[in-house]
């Protein structure tokens, strides 16, 4: 029996992805592009879901349920988020916060819908299932970004596709999966077989992870604003198309540093939040709080 199947999943998947990269660059075969996109997009999310599955609390968490929440939850999340963002959001200062509020809400709704039949709603299982939904969402989103990166003004760019998958693979553990895991743990902590309980704590947690999501998405803009503020503005150069900003090497380095430091801070807050929540589940269970009860099934069924 393999003691760490998630580790084998990662190394085998990584080897297959690297082999695909090598073959596609050697042959230029466009038929391999979907293989490259899918392997690169799903490798890290699937690995983390497999790792989390080994830490389940009840026997109700089966591989079938994990697969269902990963795939169905991810698809439901990206479809609902796309519709809501298309109709509700417009370019503004609140755009990133709006994205965070919408995407965290649809992932939470997908999690609740797909786990409504569970008899025991243990907080640790809620974290695992929340992570599964979040990583499913992240995998499909990464596939979309990778596919889009393939198309440039100079034609198809396999280099940009690979770079996009590498970058999003590195940051994947600190995004959607982490935020929805936090929400799942709080949702399950007060819910029962008959109902989900929407408490003040759940609402505050939802607003908190949405804010983390917003800062994560806005970090590129925040870093750019701070760079211009700290370096005294932009320099310009004249081109046939007009005057364009020409950042100095110092500005580029500062911008990169600020963006990665900002992402690291957001990630650290999320990891510490989930860690504290996981530690609290080891204590004696608390009585359900007060909130809005959303019935799942008639009592006694």
């Amino acid at each position: 029996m393999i003691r760490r199947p998630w580790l084998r999943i990662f190394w085998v998947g990584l080897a297959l992805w690297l082999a695909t990269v090598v073959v596609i660059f050697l042959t230029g075969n466009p038929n391999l592009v979907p293989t490259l996109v899918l392997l690169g997009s799903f490798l890290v999310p699937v690995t983390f879901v497999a790792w989390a599955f080994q830490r389940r609390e009840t026997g109700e968490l089966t591989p079938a349920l994990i697969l269902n929440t990963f795939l169905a939850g991810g698809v439901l999340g990206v479809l609902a988020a796309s519709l809501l963002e298309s109709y509700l959001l417009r370019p503004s200062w609140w755009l990133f916060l709006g994205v965070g509020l919408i995407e965290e809400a649809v992932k939470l709704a997908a999690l609740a819908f797909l786990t409504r039949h569970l008899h025991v709603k243990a907080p640790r299982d809620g974290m695992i299932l929340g992570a599964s939904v979040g990583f499913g969402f992240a995998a499909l989103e990464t596939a979309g970004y990778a596919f889009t990166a393939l198309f440039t003004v100079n034609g198809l760019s396999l280099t940009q596709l690979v770079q996009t998958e590498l970058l999003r693979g590195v940051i994947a553990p600190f995004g959607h999966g982490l935020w929805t895991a936090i929400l799942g743990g709080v949702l399950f902590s007060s819910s029962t077989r008959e109902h989900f309980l929407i408490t003040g704590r759940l609402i505050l947690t939802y607003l908190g992870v949405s804010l983390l999501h917003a800062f994560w998405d806005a970090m590129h803009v925040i870093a750019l604003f701070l760079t211009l503020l700290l370096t005294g503005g932009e320099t310009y150069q004249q081109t046939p198309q007009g005057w364009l900003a020409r950042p100095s090497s110092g500005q580029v380095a500062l911008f990169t540093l600020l963006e990665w430091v900002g992402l690291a801070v957001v990630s650290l807050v999320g990891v510490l939040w989930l860690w504290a929540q996981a530690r609290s589940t080891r204590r004696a269970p608390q009585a359900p709080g007060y909130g809005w009860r959303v019935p799942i099934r008639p009592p006694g069924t």
Side-chain angles (χ1 to χ4, degrees):
M1 182 178 179
I2 303 173
R3 295 185 60 185
R4 295 181 178 179
W6 62 270
L7 198 55
R8 182 172 182 178
I9 289 172
F10 175 76
W11 287 117
V12 171
L14 180 61
L16 292 174
W17 182 79
L18 289 173
T20 305
V21 171
V22 171
V23 172
I24 201 171
F25 272 101
L26 288 176
T27 65
N29 185 356
N31 292 332
L32 293 176
V33 169
T35 303
L36 183 65
V37 170
L38 291 176
L39 280 174
S41 303
F42 281 79
L43 173 59
V44 173
V46 169
T47 298
F48 267 84
V49 169
W51 172 80
F53 176 69
Q54 291 185 292
R55 286 150 180 80
R56 62 193 182 279
E57 190 166 332
T58 67
E60 287 193 84
L61 261 68
T62 62
L65 178 59
I66 292 292
L67 181 62
N68 189 36
T69 52
F70 181 83
L71 293 178
V75 172
L76 289 173
V78 294
L79 292 179
S82 180
L83 283 172
L84 292 173
E85 288 169 3
S86 296
Y87 286 102
L88 298 180
L89 297 183
R90 296 292 181 270
S92 69
W93 286 101
W94 306 102
L95 176 64
F96 296 113
L97 180 58
V99 170
L101 290 169
I102 288 174
E103 293 188 358
E104 296 310 318
V106 298
K107 288 186 294 176
L108 180 60
L111 171 65
F113 175 73
L114 294 170
T115 61
R116 66 193 185 281
H117 295 308
L118 290 179
H119 287 227
V120 178
K121 294 181 174 63
R124 186 177 293 271
D125 288 350
M127 296 178 201
I128 294 170
L129 291 168
S132 182
V133 171
F135 277 120
F137 188 103
L140 293 170
E141 188 178 63
T142 296
Y145 280 115
F147 184 73
T148 303
L150 180 65
F151 301 95
T152 70
V153 293
N154 297 318
L156 300 183
S157 174
L158 293 173
T159 301
Q160 284 201 181
L161 189 158
V162 171
Q163 290 175 344
T164 299
E165 292 198 321
L166 282 173
L167 175 61
R168 292 189 64 85
V170 170
I171 65 177
F174 309 105
H176 288 290
L178 176 63
W179 302 324
T180 318
I182 295 171
L183 276 174
V186 176
L187 175 67
F188 275 35
S189 65
S190 298
S191 299
T192 68
R193 182 169 179 258
E194 286 78 25
H195 66 265
F196 284 113
L197 188 64
I198 301 178
T199 62
R201 181 187 172 207
L202 178 62
I203 294 174
L204 289 175
T205 302
Y206 161 67
L207 294 176
V209 296
S210 297
L211 195 60
L212 287 180
H213 190 153
F215 274 118
W216 181 278
D217 288 349
M219 198 54 63
H220 189 86
V221 176
I222 294 172
L224 177 60
F225 174 78
L226 291 177
T227 299
L228 295 178
L229 184 66
L230 294 173
T231 59
E234 300 171 303
T235 57
Y236 295 89
Q237 62 178 343
Q238 190 173 12
T239 70
Q241 290 76 33
W243 289 88
L244 297 176
R246 183 182 60 183
S248 65
S249 58
Q251 285 178 317
V252 172
L254 179 60
F255 167 77
T256 304
L257 175 65
L258 290 173
E259 184 174 20
W260 280 103
V261 168
L263 292 176
V265 170
V266 174
S267 301
L268 182 61
V269 171
V271 169
L272 292 177
W273 191 350
L274 183 63
W275 174 78
Q277 186 171 298
R279 282 181 59 88
S280 70
T281 64
R282 300 174 187 172
R283 304 168 189 163
Q286 300 177 352
Y290 296 97
W292 176 37
R293 295 176 184 268
V294 181
I296 302 171
R297 66 188 66 169
T301 59

